[in-house]
Amino acid sequence: MVAEEFSSGNSLFHDLDPRIKIIVASLFSTIVAIADRTEVLLLALLFSVFCVILSSLSMGKLIRRLFLVNGFILVLWVVLPFTYPGKTLFSVGPLDATAEGIRYACSITIKSNAIILACIALLGTTPIFKLAHALRHLYVPDKLVQLLFFSYRYIHVIYLEYVRLVNAMKVRCFHPRSDLHTYKAYGHLVGMVVLKSYDCSERVHDAMLCRGFKGKFWVLDHFSLERRDLIAFIIMLLSITGLGFLQWGKGLFS
Amino acid sequence: MHISEGVLSPSVLVTGAALTAAGCGIGLKKLDYDRVPQVAILTSAFFVASLIHVPIGPSNVHLVLNGLMGLLLGWPAFPAILIALFLQALLFQFGGITTLGVNTFNMAFPAIICFYLFGYAVKGRNNLISNGAAFACGFFAILLGSLMVAISLAFTGDPFVGIAKVVVIAHLPVMIIEGLITLFSAGFLKKLKPELLEVVHAKR
């Protein structure tokens, strides 16, 4: 259940320097999130699709993922056309759908999916431990990176504990219903998971102290920029600058 | 509770990111290196707990538990929730980089508020009061959270006011469930490991 679905593989994007991927992903997301011209958004989507193709991910998994993520967007499609002011396009009962509303919903859908695809292609193709190392190299606070390291490391451990507890409940014929007994059982389940994780953290901390931990987390992965990384970085940076130029460039010259 | 990428306006995104940065700054400052493993592994516990789906009528909701997180962690709940959401964004693509700030603040701010409002009452000796406070803690954490989501949407533009109202109403049943789950799990922890509820109140 908790797995990095896209991180293993062999492609240009899997081999790129994680630092570059983080920088490009953040820049791209920011630019696209604040852009509002349709042609810019369409080009951004093209950029993302291109990235996804280059990272040769399994299409089936990717499409399933996109369906899951677009739930909130679906809600927007139900509500936005009817609440956005503008010319009426068609009516459903007392509600009027406006052309502007539909256009707006369209642009949000493109925007959102462009960002998600780019993030899957860039960040999804990196193992999370490598990302954490790269974040440390990018001067993210030490404690924050340590938190990321530990919590990701122990999600799997705690998840197995959780599965064990749930199996124990199932063996005892627990059927979730909408009643107080169910909520009490779930409350105790949560409490037990928290308790086990607390005990686990004490053991981990003691083990670290035994091995001479003094608060400093050594970074073991060092990345080296190669020519391929630099070329990819420059191309992607230029594309993003191009997007920004298309969006705001006109104002600079008039 | 997640707002997707590309929905919110730049000003809302920037405000959210700045507030989250400030909150995490305070949270990290109050967090000793000695407590890092503890907070981190509790974060993974809450990550796993958010995978639990609790039935309610014909449908089901997944747990958020930001109230309980606030109770157990105090200010470090800010970086903890940031990490949990970051991992969710990486593993499931729920939320994303640009909305990370807003989404974190929307969940972590209520957690801190509930910590200050109910923290002492929950660990108190009177069972009735502490149970009531635990329920209120879970309930208000979601209520405040959904209000924050609604505010972020409403500030983005007038067309979103409708959706903002839907968000708050849709979370009403979640509030009750979260209240009950927080009540039972806090009571459980108080019985089995009372010091867990005390850790955050220790002077440092």
Side-chain angles (χ1 to χ4, degrees):
Chain A
M1 180 130 196
V2 186
E4 304 171 36
E5 267 197 85
F6 303 109
S7 73
S8 62
N10 211 344
S11 74
L12 173 66
F13 273 67
H14 284 92
D15 295 340
L16 275 185
D17 190 322
R19 287 174 296 178
I20 285 180
K21 293 203 258 191
I22 293 173
I23 295 173
V24 170
S26 340
L27 273 180
F28 180 78
S29 311
T30 316
I31 294 277
V32 176
I34 56 184
D36 55 3
R37 295 182 50 172
T38 316
E39 56 269 33
V40 177
L41 296 180
L42 282 173
L43 280 175
L45 189 63
L46 197 69
F47 175 88
S48 312
V49 169
F50 201 62
C51 288
V52 167
I53 291 171
L54 275 181
S55 55
S56 55
L57 298 166
S58 134
M59 278 300 143
K61 273 186 198 167
L62 198 71
I63 289 168
R64 223 181 32 236
R65 183 55 60 87
L66 281 182
F67 263 111
L68 283 177
V69 177
N70 274 304
F72 189 78
I73 303 289
L74 208 68
V75 179
L76 288 186
W77 271 97
V78 175
V79 182
L80 263 188
F82 303 103
T83 52
Y84 206 80
K87 264 204 309 256
T88 306
L89 202 64
F90 63 89
S91 310
V92 185
L95 299 164
D96 298 326
T98 62
E100 285 84 350
I102 292 179
R103 238 187 62 115
Y104 195 43
C106 253
S107 82
I108 287 182
T109 311
I110 298 174
K111 226 186 218 191
S112 187
N113 284 296
I115 299 180
I116 292 165
L117 282 176
C119 284
I120 292 180
L122 288 161
L123 301 179
T125 55
T126 325
I128 288 179
F129 286 127
K130 273 202 173 161
L131 272 185
H133 270 135
L135 284 174
R136 187 74 199 97
H137 281 292
L138 291 170
Y139 304 104
V140 170
D142 190 29
K143 276 185 206 162
L144 205 56
V145 177
Q146 283 191 23
L147 279 180
L148 176 62
F149 252 114
F150 277 116
S151 24
Y152 185 59
R153 168 67 183 77
Y154 283 93
I155 278 178
H156 303 266
V157 177
I158 307 293
Y159 184 67
L160 289 182
E161 290 281 1
Y162 161 74
V163 170
R164 240 166 48 93
L165 288 170
V166 169
N167 283 341
M169 285 162 84
K170 278 185 193 154
V171 167
R172 288 160 182 78
C173 298
F174 171 73
H175 281 290
R177 288 185 305 263
S178 302
D179 57 10
L180 211 57
H181 172 71
T182 305
Y183 299 142
K184 193 168 179 176
Y186 274 120
H188 289 182
L189 172 64
V190 169
M192 203 60 208
V193 169
V194 167
L195 200 65
K196 277 178 181 279
S197 71
Y198 181 75
D199 288 341
C200 171
S201 76
E202 284 197 327
R203 284 196 303 275
V204 169
H205 187 232
D206 289 347
M208 284 161 65
L209 290 182
C210 281
R211 286 156 183 78
F213 180 70
K214 289 203 190 74
K216 171 105 179 125
F217 226 66
W218 298 99
V219 182
L220 292 179
D221 270 357
H222 291 281
F223 307 110
S224 60
L225 275 183
E226 285 166 31
R227 211 165 75 201
R228 195 185 47 186
D229 294 323
L230 273 180
I231 294 172
F233 187 45
I234 290 169
I235 292 175
M236 290 195 280
L237 217 55
L238 281 179
S239 335
I240 295 171
T241 322
L243 288 179
F245 194 73
L246 257 179
Q247 168 74 31
W248 296 284
K250 274 190 186 149
L252 293 178
F253 297 111
S254 59
Chain B
M1 296 273 271
H2 294 285
I3 303 177
S4 314
E5 296 264 22
V7 177
L8 297 173
S9 69
S11 51
V12 175
L13 291 176
V14 170
T15 317
L19 289 170
T20 294
C24 286
I26 301 174
L28 288 176
K29 199 151 179 250
K30 293 206 173 208
L31 176 65
D32 291 342
Y33 275 104
D34 280 346
R35 255 188 89 207
V36 167
Q38 190 201 331
V39 171
I41 297 176
L42 278 176
T43 308
S44 19
F46 284 109
F47 186 97
V48 169
S50 74
L51 301 173
I52 303 177
H53 284 259
V54 178
I56 171 160
S59 157
N60 62 55
V61 296
H62 83 86
L63 296 177
V64 184
L65 294 174
N66 54 341
L68 191 63
M69 261 181 124
L71 274 188
L72 294 178
L73 298 178
W75 272 98
F78 245 106
I81 288 174
L82 176 74
I83 295 293
L85 289 180
F86 183 63
L87 284 174
Q88 282 192 341
L90 286 179
L91 294 168
F92 311 132
Q93 275 79 39
F94 288 149
I97 302 181
T98 58
T99 47
L100 198 54
V102 178
N103 282 336
T104 304
F105 189 75
N106 286 347
M107 281 172 67
F109 182 66
I112 304 294
I113 297 285
C114 288
F115 165 66
Y116 278 118
L117 283 181
F118 306 114
Y120 278 95
V122 170
K123 77 186 179 83
R125 203 161 281 169
N126 187 327
N127 257 336
L128 202 65
I129 292 177
S130 91
N131 279 342
F135 179 84
C137 177
F139 186 90
F140 279 106
I142 299 294
L143 175 66
L144 265 177
S146 62
L147 282 178
M148 306 279 305
V149 172
I151 290 170
S152 335
L153 286 170
F155 269 121
T156 292
D158 291 335
F160 286 101
V161 173
I163 298 175
K165 283 178 194 154
V166 174
V167 166
V168 178
I169 294 168
H171 275 94
L172 276 173
V174 186
M175 291 168 206
I176 296 168
I177 300 287
E178 287 271 333
L180 286 172
I181 299 280
T182 310
L183 188 165
F184 288 125
S185 46
F188 179 84
L189 288 173
K190 216 176 132 186
K191 245 182 267 166
L192 268 89
K193 198 127 189 155
E195 63 263 37
L196 238 174
L197 289 165
E198 303 281 343
V199 176
V200 280
H201 299 283
K203 260 268 152 310
R204 69 180 74 257

